[in-house]
Amino acid sequence: MGTLRLEVVTPDKTVVGADVEMAVCPGAEGEFGVLANHISLLSALKVGALRYRASGGKDEYVFISGGFADMNNNVLTVLAESAELAGNIDAARAQSARERAEKRLAAGDDAVDVARAESALQRAIMRLSIAVRH
Ligand code: ATP
């Protein structure tokens, strides 16, 4: 089977740079898979798990905080505000973030930015579910 190049980058760093057999992305309109030599595509991503399989390897999971995926010339570039390999997720930190967001939402205080707290909660829950896939 052929491979494609996967690059997952954030403003700070490259999180993944690998030749992979396939990648499955959390598209804004639903998951989509990309194989070698896929036609060009550009898609918005939602908070979720990106899964990929390096040549002959096992599936790896990466937390993605939304962003964009661009497939061109057999290179899939994923641009995200933040991204972490499953093994690099700090579960205790995500658990604290989850509790903080839940408290803010439960308080029902006018000063709480509900959309922001809901996004933080969504990221924390997703990180916790991906951390166990390591
Ligand atoms: P927190 O409230 O814990 O900062 P957050 O969802 O607001 O969580 P982000 O804004 O998504 O955090 O990310 C900020 C930076 O911290 C990014 O570099 C991201 O990769 C890193 N990061 C956030 N949470 C974790 C985590 N649980 N484990 C590892 N890295 C994390």
Side-chain angles (χ1 to χ4, degrees), residues 17-28:
D19 295 325
V20 306
E21 289 176 359
M22 61 99 192
V24 179
C25 299

Side-chain angles (χ1 to χ4, degrees), residues 5 31 84:
R5 185 72 188 168
E31 283 202 331
E84 300 107 40

Side-chain angles (χ1 to χ4, degrees), residues 12-13 65 82-84 88-90 93-94 97 100 123 127:
D12 305 329
K13 57 182 186 289
S65 66
S82 57
E84 300 107 40
N88 291 337
I89 293 174
D90 178 341
R93 176 174 168 175
R100 214 162 46 239
R123 288 195 300 277
R127 282 184 169 114

Side-chain angles (χ1 to χ4, degrees), residues 35-125:
L35 297 172
N37 303 310
H38 193 288
I39 53 164
S40 296
L41 75 81
L42 178 61
S43 174
L45 301 177
K46 62 183 177 188
V47 171
L50 180 149
R51 178 164 62 92
Y52 69 90
R53 189 176 306 146
S55 315
K58 65 178 177 66
D59 284 7
E60 302 284 354
Y61 292 82
V62 189
F63 166 82
I64 301 289
S65 66
F68 290 91
D70 172 68
M71 177 69 173
N72 219 336
N73 288 329
N74 212 33
V75 180
L76 177 64
T77 306
V78 172
L79 301 167
E81 196 55 47
S82 57
E84 300 107 40
L85 281 161
N88 291 337
I89 293 174
D90 178 341
R93 176 174 168 175
Q95 185 59 34
S96 306
R98 177 182 186 156
E99 285 164 14
R100 214 162 46 239
E102 281 173 344
K103 270 193 200 124
R104 287 196 175 116
L105 290 169
D109 186 323
D110 282 354
V112 170
D113 181 338
V114 173
R116 183 174 165 185
E118 281 174 346
S119 300
L121 179 59
Q122 199 190 0
R123 288 195 300 277
I125 289 172

